[in-house]
Amino acid sequence: MTEYLSVTTLTKYIKYKFDQDPHLQSVLIKGELSNFKKHSSGHLYFNVKDKESVISAMMFKGNASKLGFEPKEGDEVLLEARVSVYERRGNYQIYVNKMQLDGIGNLYQKLEELKKKLTKEGYFDSSVKKPISKFPKRIAVLTASTGAAIRDIHSTINSRYPLVEQIHISTLVQGTQAKQDIIEKIEHADTLDVDTIIVGRGGGSIEDLWNFNEEEVVKAIYSCNTPIISAVGHETDFTLSDFVADVRAATPTQAAVIATPDQYELMQQIKQYQFSLTRFIKQYIEQQKKQLNHLNSYYKFKQPSLLYDQQIQKRDDLEKQLKQLMSTYLEKHTQNLKLLKQHFNLKTLNNNISQDKMHVSQYRERMTQAITNELSKLQTDLKNKIENLNNLSPTNTMLRGYAIVNKDDKVVTSTHDITENDTITLTMKDGNVDATVKKVRCNDE
């Protein structure tokens, strides 16, 4: 009997064949992402297609977390994957290990990575942006010497604000040498004492505009002390120079508009200010006239004496009060002076001085006598102490027939310190005697 295979058995066999084929374990595929979905688990599900075919694909969360960009529908990508069979649906698919953008996509990926890095380092912070001068005297324009960009900027500035001086600095805006040239021209323009710098060029592909995405150019713009307007490409083009510049203009023409005021708008403003000022002056004069007429009709101005009659009377009252106060003040101090004279009577003062002199003389005599008695007492005490010291001195002792015994330059005070045959020295009142000990006798023996 013929044996029929189940669908599961056949599918497992085909999967086994795929998994065992070494050529299918790591394949490199180029294609476009379609039907892209990111599951809540973090896994990515999508199709990879070209003009003729479509392959189902998935990427596990662990590999997806290592991507340096956010995949999206329509991205051209380069894949490294493993080919296998999904048993449940019975179709083959690829399991992607690595993914990167293809061609231009790599540039966009590099641009996003550099943008994130510079944003984190603070190069794009709005807090460091410098204001653009409203009424500039000099503007430096950094762009190619030929082309629509320089023509648009010059013509726009001339029509809007012809008073400003334009300094055109021919700059390379494309090619391998452009990056360094842009940096040097920005640094040079920063030394020219201009109010604003415009850095710009016409539109182009991302490759054409790439010099304005270079990290060194971004840092040169950031370090510039003069406000910079970036006008690179068309309205839909964005470069890192736009983010770091103080102002981003969608086009070179708009950069010229941002950098200068419009002379026609200024004239309209001046006329408006003139009209407002004239109206204000007229209103002010009219108001002052009304106030003057009001003052002119005031009754006191018709009889000027009314203005000072009250003041004259007030002055007289104040003068009277002042005289009274002065009289009272003088009388009071005169009385005080009399009291002081009585208190400080000259005769009484002389008597007091004489008595004080007498007391001082008495105190001096007492002090002198006390000091004399104290000195006499101290001299007597000193004499007694000197006599006592003299009686107790070794010299006086030796005068009475005593001698000092020395052994080895030390005074001997006991027989226990001497033995037979020791050499000793006897110090007497009139000299020394060297002797040898024949016998030692102690009192306790």
Side-chain angles (χ1 to χ4, degrees):
M1 181 179 178
T2 304
E3 293 187 5
Y4 292 88
L5 298 174
S6 66
V7 175
T8 301
T9 301
L10 179 59
T11 302
K12 285 183 178 292
Y13 179 77
I14 294 173
K15 183 178 185 302
Y16 171 78
K17 287 294 185 180
F18 272 72
D19 292 342
Q20 293 299 314
D21 189 339
H23 299 290
L24 299 180
Q25 299 310 301
S26 180
V27 295
L28 302 178
I29 303 173
K30 176 180 179 180
E32 178 186 338
L33 298 182
S34 67
N35 199 25
F36 181 85
K37 295 177 182 177
K38 184 174 183 179
H39 195 269
S40 59
S41 63
H43 306 321
L44 306 181
Y45 296 91
F46 51 92
N47 293 331
V48 183
K49 68 178 183 177
D50 57 18
K51 293 181 180 180
E52 303 296 335
S53 303
V54 178
I55 302 174
S56 296
M58 78 156 297
M59 191 174 194
F60 290 111
K61 177 182 177 181
N63 292 325
S65 64
K66 300 175 183 178
L67 294 177
F69 68 102
E70 289 290 335
K72 63 181 183 300
E73 192 81 13
D75 281 348
E76 294 288 340
V77 293
L78 301 176
L79 306 175
E80 180 183 324
R82 173 176 60 88
V83 184
S84 187
V85 174
Y86 183 50
E87 295 182 45
R88 185 174 182 181
R89 286 198 295 267
N91 62 325
Y92 89 94
Q93 67 181 30
I94 59 174
Y95 294 84
V96 179
N97 297 320
K98 296 180 181 179
M99 179 191 302
Q100 64 181 20
L101 292 169
D102 182 26
I104 295 176
N106 282 332
L107 285 179
Y108 282 113
Q109 181 180 354
K110 182 179 178 182
L111 177 62
E112 286 300 318
E113 291 175 353
L114 184 56
K115 181 180 176 183
K116 289 179 181 179
K117 173 179 177 291
L118 295 175
T119 300
K120 186 176 180 181
E121 293 175 358
Y123 283 94
F124 305 148
D125 289 352
S126 58
S127 60
V128 298
K129 304 293 185 185
K130 297 178 285 294
I132 305 300
S133 176
K134 292 184 178 180
F135 303 101
K137 296 179 181 179
R138 307 177 77 204
I139 294 178
V141 181
L142 279 61
T143 187
S145 57
T146 59
I150 188 63
R151 291 196 302 271
D152 292 344
I153 291 174
H154 282 333
S155 61
T156 303
I157 291 178
N158 288 333
S159 64
R160 286 176 59 82
Y161 197 62
L163 295 177
V164 69
E165 177 186 354
Q166 299 181 55
I167 303 174
H168 177 229
I169 302 176
S170 181
T171 308
L172 295 176
V173 294
Q174 189 171 331
T176 58
Q177 304 296 323
K179 179 181 75 172
Q180 189 59 36
D181 190 60
I182 293 170
I183 294 173
E184 292 176 357
K185 297 302 171 59
I186 290 175
E187 293 174 348
H188 172 62
D190 199 26
T191 65
L192 299 179
D193 192 27
V194 296
D195 298 292
T196 308
I197 298 173
I198 297 176
V199 178
R201 61 152 289 160
S205 65
I206 187 172
E207 294 94 337
D208 295 336
L209 304 178
W210 190 253
N211 286 293
F212 295 93
N213 289 320
E214 294 285 359
E215 185 174 356
E216 293 86 346
V217 173
V218 171
K219 292 182 177 180
I221 294 175
Y222 180 84
S223 301
C224 186
N225 295 317
T226 308
I228 292 182
I229 300 174
S230 174
V232 179
H234 297 306
E235 187 170 357
T236 56
D237 297 322
F238 278 92
T239 64
L240 297 183
S241 296
D242 295 329
F243 292 104
V244 72
D246 298 292
V247 176
R248 186 255 176 181
T251 62
T253 300
Q254 188 185 26
V257 172
I258 295 172
T260 57
D262 187 354
Q263 61 176 330
Y264 300 106
E265 292 180 359
L266 290 177
M267 290 300 297
Q268 290 298 322
Q269 290 180 4
I270 292 173
K271 289 180 180 179
Q272 182 63 37
Y273 293 150
Q274 183 179 10
F275 173 76
S276 300
L277 184 60
T278 301
R279 184 176 60 182
F280 173 78
I281 293 174
K282 288 181 178 179
Q283 291 176 350
Y284 181 78
I285 292 175
E286 187 65 27
Q287 183 180 2
Q288 296 301 313
K289 282 183 178 180
K290 289 181 180 180
Q291 187 173 2
L292 182 61
N293 291 332
H294 174 72
L295 293 175
N296 189 38
S297 61
Y298 190 51
Y299 75 97
K300 286 189 177 181
F301 290 144
K302 294 181 179 180
Q303 292 182 340
S305 61
L306 296 176
L307 294 173
Y308 56 81
D309 285 349
Q310 297 291 324
Q311 302 302 322
I312 291 175
Q313 185 175 354
K314 186 177 181 180
R315 184 193 65 80
D316 292 342
D317 291 340
L318 292 173
E319 182 180 0
K320 181 178 179 181
Q321 292 177 12
L322 181 60
K323 288 181 178 180
Q324 290 176 349
L325 288 173
M326 290 181 64
S327 177
T328 303
Y329 180 82
L330 290 173
E331 183 178 351
K332 178 180 178 181
H333 282 75
T334 300
Q335 192 69 24
N336 290 337
L337 184 60
K338 289 181 179 179
L339 293 174
L340 289 173
K341 285 182 177 181
Q342 292 175 1
H343 181 72
F344 291 105
N345 186 277
L346 185 58
K347 183 177 180 180
T348 303
L349 184 61
N350 289 333
N351 290 336
N352 291 338
I353 292 173
S354 298
Q355 290 179 2
D356 291 340
K357 284 182 177 180
M358 186 182 299
H359 291 155
V360 169
S361 178
Q362 292 174 355
Y363 292 147
R364 183 182 293 112
E365 290 177 359
R366 293 177 185 175
M367 183 67 72
T368 302
Q369 185 63 40
I371 291 173
T372 301
N373 294 337
E374 184 66 21
L375 287 175
S376 177
K377 180 181 177 181
L378 291 174
Q379 286 176 351
T380 302
D381 290 344
L382 180 61
K383 182 178 179 181
N384 293 333
K385 288 178 180 179
I386 290 172
E387 289 178 356
N388 290 334
L389 285 174
N390 190 35
N391 292 332
L392 296 174
S393 68
T395 302
N396 283 341
T397 301
M398 287 187 289
L399 288 175
R400 294 196 298 272
Y402 293 95
I404 299 174
V405 180
N406 290 279
K407 175 186 174 183
D408 298 329
D409 295 329
K410 293 182 179 179
V411 176
V412 178
T413 60
S414 173
T415 56
H416 295 289
D417 297 332
I418 301 175
T419 59
E420 292 182 0
N421 298 322
D422 280 349
T423 299
I424 60 174
T425 301
L426 302 176
T427 302
M428 309 184 83
K429 66 177 182 178
D430 54 355
N432 297 324
V433 176
D434 293 330
T436 302
V437 178
K438 293 295 183 179
K439 188 175 182 179
V440 178
R441 291 185 296 274
C442 298
N443 293 333
D444 55 355
E445 292 180 354

